């Protein structure tokens, strides 16, 4: 990873019951849809396990640079996922973006 690359991470808790089919579908749809956007690299889905944090899941991905990240943010698949799924199914979240120092 070079200094222009960006790691985009979001931790979140869903409105769905833990272990439910809706929870599994959201995570799978997120993986399938968001990882298909051309500028996304190394898309990962995580289950949060630390007792120090009460969020349930995480998505993480890498972008080559700020332009690639912006392309992702504006991509129709991302916009649709946010509007149709994220805003209705995510209870709360926190987002962080990293660049190598």
């Amino acid at each position: 990873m070079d200094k222009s690359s960006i790691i985009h991470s979001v931790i979140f808790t869903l409105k769905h019951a833990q272990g439910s089919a809706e929870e599994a579908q959201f995570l799978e749809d997120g993986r399938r849809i968001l990882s298909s956007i051309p500028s996304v690299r190394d898309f990962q889905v995580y289950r949060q396990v630390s007792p120090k944090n009460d969020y349930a899941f995480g998505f993480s991905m890498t972008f080559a640079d700020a332009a690639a990240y912006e392309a992702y943010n504006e991509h129709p698949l991302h916009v649709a996922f946010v509007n149709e799924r994220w805003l209705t199914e995510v209870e709360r979240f926190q987002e962080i973006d990293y660049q190598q120092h």
Side-chain angles (χ1 to χ4, degrees):
M1 188 171 120
D2 62 41
K3 290 190 177 199
S4 63
S5 295
I6 296 171
I7 297 173
H8 170 66
S9 297
V10 60
I11 54 174
F12 57 94
T13 297
L14 294 171
K15 295 177 181 177
H16 306 302
Q18 185 177 7
S20 68
E22 293 87 0
E23 176 188 85
Q25 190 65 59
F26 180 90
L27 298 172
E28 180 51 37
D29 289 348
R31 178 192 317 274
R32 179 179 50 79
I33 294 166
L34 300 175
S35 68
S36 74
I37 297 171
S39 62
V40 172
R41 291 196 257 168
D42 194 30
F43 186 91
Q44 301 291 324
V45 177
Y46 298 103
R47 179 174 300 277
Q48 201 292 117
V49 296
S50 172
K52 298 176 186 178
N53 183 322
D54 62 353
Y55 289 96
F57 300 101
F59 286 167
S60 178
M61 63 204 82
T62 304
F63 299 96
D65 53 29
Y69 183 36
E70 188 61 29
Y72 162 79
N73 277 322
E74 296 175 355
H75 195 281
L77 289 174
H78 176 254
V79 172
F81 185 79
V82 168
N83 290 329
E84 296 166 13
R85 304 295 299 279
W86 191 268
L87 294 176
T88 60
E89 298 180 59
V90 173
E91 184 173 292
R92 60 194 187 86
F93 72 95
Q94 185 168 357
E95 192 172 313
I96 188 165
D97 300 315
Y98 295 107
Q99 279 187 312
Q100 190 174 39
H101 180 67

